[in-house]
């Protein structure tokens, strides 16, 4: 190549390199601890989440005294304590998602893992203090505090407890020490409720074109007019029962709903039972016995499939 032409080429290359817009630097990967946590990353499998593992009792009740051991259910943890002349109930869970006009921003003063924020709910805000620990994907863990004395003047104490509970949960999440439920082989906590509602026998009660819709927790389901949930509760003396689906069950009405519940003892835990509750909502003008007749039909199809 002639010297003049070679010189021109080299000059052109030099100018192009000098004038080109530099490419942005590729950011270095963040560490796992710096990532914005989603709910599944923070809590693991929802259906086996032990909500009580998020509650450090000493931090939550402060100078109060626990009434009894926390109630660990499949979708929440309930802690009761007495402080002064007031009795408080702290419910941690369930997890929820979606828009709620009651949820508002809240300036939480404590430390939070990357990606987590806290909201407050204006629903019954004079008598219930509700905080929502919100993950990067919008899924929320609710914390609600009530007390026997519902005076609005005591709301500051309820909210102090709610903030302490949020701090407890945030600390457990940051330490990656979230626990799992310890369920025996026959536990109803291992049952997928939507699978039990996905039966043609329920078409009439639920609606032929309806499909089961699971809750985030994995322990409750709605199909049309039928809802079904599995939980843990206190072992109380039942009222009148009747045989439905091979189990003793209670039938009760509440407004337009007819509910059927049955219980299962938990081995080694005499003061707790697992509960299966299903309800059917009546259409406008439907007689109560018609709605309860549908609820009994659902129970007869669902209860035999429980372990």
């Amino acid at each position: 190549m002639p010297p003049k032409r070679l010189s021109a080429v080299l000059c052109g290359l030099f100018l192009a390199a000098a004038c080109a817009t530099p490419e942005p630097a590729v950011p270095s990967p963040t560490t796992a601890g710096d990532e914005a946590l989603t709910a599944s990353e923070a809590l693991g499998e929802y259906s086996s989440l032990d909500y009580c593992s998020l509650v450090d009792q000493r931090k939550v009740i402060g100078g109060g005294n626990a009434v009894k051991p926390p109630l660990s259910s499949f979708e929440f943890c309930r802690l009761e304590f007495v402080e002064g002349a007031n009795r408080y109930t702290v419910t941690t869970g369930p997890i929820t998602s979606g828009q709620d006009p009651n949820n508002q921003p809240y300036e939480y003063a404590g430390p939070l893992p990357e990606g987590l924020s806290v909201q407050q709910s204006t629903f019954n805000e004079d008598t219930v203090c509700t905080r929502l620990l919100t993950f990067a994907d919008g899924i929320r863990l609710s914390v609600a505090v009530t007390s026997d004395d519902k005076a609005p003047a005591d709301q500051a104490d309820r909210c102090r407890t709610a903030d302490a509970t949020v701090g407890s949960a945030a600390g457990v999440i940051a330490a990656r020490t979230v626990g799992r439920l310890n369920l025996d082989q026959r536990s109803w906590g291992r049952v997928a409720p939507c699978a039990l509602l996905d039966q043609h026998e329920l078409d009439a009660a639920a609606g032929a074109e309806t499909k089961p819709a699971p809750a985030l927790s994995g322990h409750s389901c709605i199909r049309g007019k039928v809802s079904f949930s599995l939980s843990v509760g206190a072992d109380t003396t039942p009222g009148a029962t009747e045989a439905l689906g091979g189990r003793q069950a209670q039938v009760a009405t509440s407004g337009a709903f007819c509910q059927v519940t049955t219980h299962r003892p938990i081995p080694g835990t005499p003061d707790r039972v697992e509960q299966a509750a299903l309800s059917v909502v009546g259409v406008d003008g439907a007689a109560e016995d018609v709605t309860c007749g549908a609820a009994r039909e659902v129970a007869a199809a669902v209860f035999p499939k429980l372990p």
Side-chain angles (χ1 to χ4, degrees):
M1 179 180 296
K4 289 186 178 181
R5 185 177 179 187
L6 176 60
S7 176
V9 171
L10 291 175
C11 183
L13 290 174
F14 172 78
L15 290 174
C19 299
T21 302
E23 294 186 6
V26 178
S28 58
T30 58
T31 62
D34 293 330
E35 293 177 355
L37 283 174
T38 64
S40 60
E41 290 168 342
L43 304 176
E45 179 66 36
Y46 300 148
S47 62
S48 65
L49 171 61
D50 180 2
Y51 289 87
C52 282
S53 72
L54 300 169
V55 181
D56 185 325
Q57 183 169 301
R58 291 174 300 174
K59 291 181 180 179
V60 172
I61 69 177
N65 296 302
V67 175
K68 59 183 71 173
L71 171 62
S72 178
S73 190
F74 305 143
E75 295 185 324
F76 63 85
C77 176
R78 181 168 296 145
L79 173 64
E80 298 179 37
F81 70 95
V82 173
E83 185 174 15
N86 209 349
R87 179 177 177 136
Y88 296 85
T89 300
V90 183
T91 304
T92 303
I95 51 174
T96 59
S97 64
Q99 298 296 318
D100 187 335
N102 293 305
N103 298 341
Q104 301 295 326
Y106 175 68
E107 292 295 329
Y108 175 71
L112 293 170
E114 181 68 25
L116 270 65
S117 61
V118 179
Q119 297 171 295
Q120 62 184 340
S121 175
T122 58
F123 182 72
N124 288 340
E125 61 183 337
D126 290 335
T127 57
V128 182
C129 187
T130 303
R131 299 286 187 254
L132 302 143
L133 185 59
T134 306
F135 298 90
D137 52 3
I139 292 176
R140 303 181 295 268
L141 171 72
S142 67
V143 172
V145 179
T146 61
S147 60
D148 287 354
D149 186 348
K150 296 179 173 58
D154 291 326
Q155 185 70 346
D157 290 333
R158 289 186 284 267
C159 287
R160 171 180 52 80
T161 300
D163 283 349
T165 308
V166 168
S168 169
V172 172
I173 290 169
R176 305 297 179 108
T177 55
V178 176
R180 318 317 302 171
L181 291 171
N182 183 20
L183 304 174
D184 67 77
Q185 290 300 315
R186 295 179 60 83
S187 172
W188 292 349
R190 297 177 178 271
V191 174
C194 280
L196 274 60
L197 295 188
D198 195 13
Q199 306 181 50
H200 289 303
E201 294 91 329
L202 306 185
D203 286 355
E209 302 301 321
T210 58
K211 299 293 182 183
L216 271 175
S217 71
H219 298 289
S220 58
C221 184
I222 295 176
R223 181 188 170 191
K225 295 180 291 183
V226 177
S227 61
F228 182 44
S229 65
L230 300 162
S231 61
V232 174
D235 186 9
T236 58
T237 303
T241 62
E242 58 185 271
L244 288 171
R247 300 181 181 276
Q248 289 300 307
Q250 293 175 278
V251 180
T253 57
S254 177
F257 293 85
C258 185
Q259 180 170 283
V260 183
T261 59
T262 189
H263 303 89
R264 167 192 178 269
I266 302 175
T269 313
D271 60 337
R272 299 280 191 256
V273 294
E274 292 183 348
Q275 175 177 285
L278 61 85
S279 65
V280 174
V281 61
V283 297
D284 290 341
E288 182 178 290
D289 57 346
V290 172
T291 303
C292 284
R296 288 183 171 92
E297 291 178 5
V298 175
V302 169
F303 286 171
K305 298 184 181 298
L306 290 168

